[in-house]
Amino acid sequence: MELRVLRYFLMVAREESITRAAEILHITQPTLSRQLSQLEEELGVKLFERGARRITLTNEGILLRRRAEELTLLADKTEKELTSQEGCVEGRISIGCGEIGAVERLAGICQAFHAQYPRVRFDLFTANADLVREQMDKGLIDIGLLLEPVDMDKYGYIRMDMREEWGVLMRPEDPLAVHESVTADDLAPLPLILPRRGSVQNELAGWFGPAYDRLHVLFTSNLSTNSAFMVQKGLGYSLVIRGSVSFWDKSQIVFRPLSPSLRATSVLAWKRHQPFAPAAERFIEFIRRS
């Protein structure tokens, strides 16, 4: 049974006349009569008693009318849910991100998306870009906010419209804290805490130049928060992104930018050719429009 033919049947049952039903449906009377006859043949039952002035339903016709009303109502409801009820999008979007300044922009995107789709929830996973990418490749994370450099061959992405600034964390009473910025020669003899990512270490090696080979690297760390605790205990100086320490108490720890300046970009990325749940699909579309 086709929904179109069931709608024809319901119209005839309501009007009790093939002629009036055909006029409302904007089809010819012979076409409508043929469709009804084919429906009766398909079901193997008689649906109408055709009188001189009006058509009435048989017992089988009454049963079909009840079921046809349920089917067409469900079809209409489903169509509306799929095409027009955007506020009904729900589910969970998993987002991986590092401790970088672009997270503030990400928060603004999530805020705007939540206002449009209030039934969607977010799951934030904090790690460096290498681990976030690994989780994305496994399908465990939908969206990644990644600090470059990153190999983007497998990903769709939008580059964020801000640049991250590299600098050094130190205690406020440290002699270097009186400087507005810190040079490679300032840092070369000091115990350092470097980011764990190899690609980022290569970027820093380019900034340090010849001094890189004589650095005293005491720790590597994948999160700035943990390295900051080491700095507080006087164990070293941590190279971090400024945005990762924006909420730290400056009476406990301070940030000084590198000189010459070293900056990086970040991207919002997702795996290409991967099926996503409707909420994540809608979020990716939202990112592209934003």
Side-chain angles (χ1 to χ4, degrees):
M1 292 182 291
E2 296 182 22
L3 281 173
R4 173 179 56 83
V5 178
L6 289 179
R7 296 185 196 278
Y8 290 172
F9 165 78
L10 288 174
M11 184 62 68
V12 173
R14 189 188 75 181
E15 295 298 321
E16 298 182 342
S17 167
I18 292 179
T19 301
R20 288 197 300 273
E23 292 174 355
I24 295 171
L25 293 169
H26 302 291
I27 59 177
T28 64
Q29 181 176 338
T31 298
L32 181 56
S33 295
R34 184 170 62 253
Q35 292 284 346
L36 295 176
S37 296
Q38 290 175 351
L39 179 61
E40 288 179 317
E41 291 176 10
E42 180 182 352
L43 296 175
V45 296
K46 186 177 182 181
L47 300 173
F48 299 100
E49 295 288 353
R50 293 167 173 80
R53 296 190 176 183
R54 68 188 185 96
I55 292 178
T56 58
L57 294 175
T58 63
N59 289 336
E60 292 80 5
I62 292 172
L63 175 61
L64 179 61
R65 181 177 63 184
R66 187 160 60 245
R67 295 290 183 260
E69 287 172 346
E70 294 172 354
L71 289 170
T72 55
L73 180 62
L74 180 60
D76 292 341
K77 181 177 183 295
T78 302
E79 183 178 356
K80 288 180 180 178
E81 288 175 345
L82 293 175
T83 60
S84 64
Q85 299 299 312
E86 295 209 339
C88 289
V89 174
E90 58 183 273
R92 187 184 71 168
I93 301 170
S94 57
I95 303 174
C97 56
E99 295 179 326
I100 57 178
V103 174
E104 183 177 358
R105 300 288 178 88
L106 174 63
I109 294 171
C110 291
Q111 181 185 39
F113 187 83
H114 178 67
Q116 189 169 347
Y117 304 103
R119 300 175 69 172
V120 172
R121 297 177 293 113
F122 299 93
D123 175 32
L124 287 179
F125 173 80
T126 304
N128 65 30
D130 291 342
L131 186 52
V132 170
R133 285 176 59 208
E134 180 182 318
Q135 296 290 298
M136 290 170 65
D137 291 344
K138 293 178 179 178
L140 301 175
I141 287 179
D142 300 316
I143 311 293
L145 176 58
L146 310 174
L147 180 70
E148 295 186 294
V150 182
D151 182 359
M152 300 304 297
D153 287 346
K154 298 186 294 185
Y155 308 96
Y157 65 93
I158 297 294
R159 182 163 283 109
M160 304 296 279
D161 60 346
M162 65 179 295
R163 294 177 68 81
E164 309 282 352
E165 183 179 27
W166 281 99
V168 183
L169 289 184
M170 63 191 72
R171 295 193 292 186
E173 67 273 15
D174 191 279
L176 282 182
V178 300
H179 299 171
E180 291 185 359
S181 58
V182 179
T183 68
D185 288 337
D186 292 330
L187 296 174
L190 302 175
L192 299 180
I193 306 172
L194 296 186
R196 192 178 182 189
R197 289 179 63 198
S199 58
V200 171
Q201 289 182 17
N202 291 338
E203 293 285 304
L204 292 171
W207 179 83
F208 274 104
Y212 188 77
D213 292 333
R214 51 190 171 89
L215 294 183
H216 175 205
V217 180
L218 184 59
F219 288 94
T220 58
S221 176
N222 69 327
L223 291 178
S224 303
T225 301
N226 289 337
S227 69
F229 284 113
M230 304 301 140
V231 173
Q232 279 188 320
K233 294 299 183 181
L235 291 170
Y237 299 75
S238 181
L239 278 82
V240 300
I241 292 293
R242 180 189 290 273
S244 67
V245 293
S246 57
F247 294 105
W248 274 82
D249 184 351
K250 293 179 177 58
S251 68
Q252 299 291 320
I253 199 165
V254 295
F255 174 94
R256 294 293 180 265
L258 300 181
S259 177
S261 175
L262 179 63
R263 296 178 180 270
T265 53
S266 57
V267 294
L268 270 173
W270 54 92
K271 190 78 177 292
R272 288 199 191 110
H273 313 302
Q274 175 174 301
F276 292 98
E281 286 278 10
R282 198 65 57 90
F283 189 71
I284 292 171
E285 292 173 12
F286 192 82
I287 291 170
R288 286 177 168 143
R289 292 199 305 268
S290 299

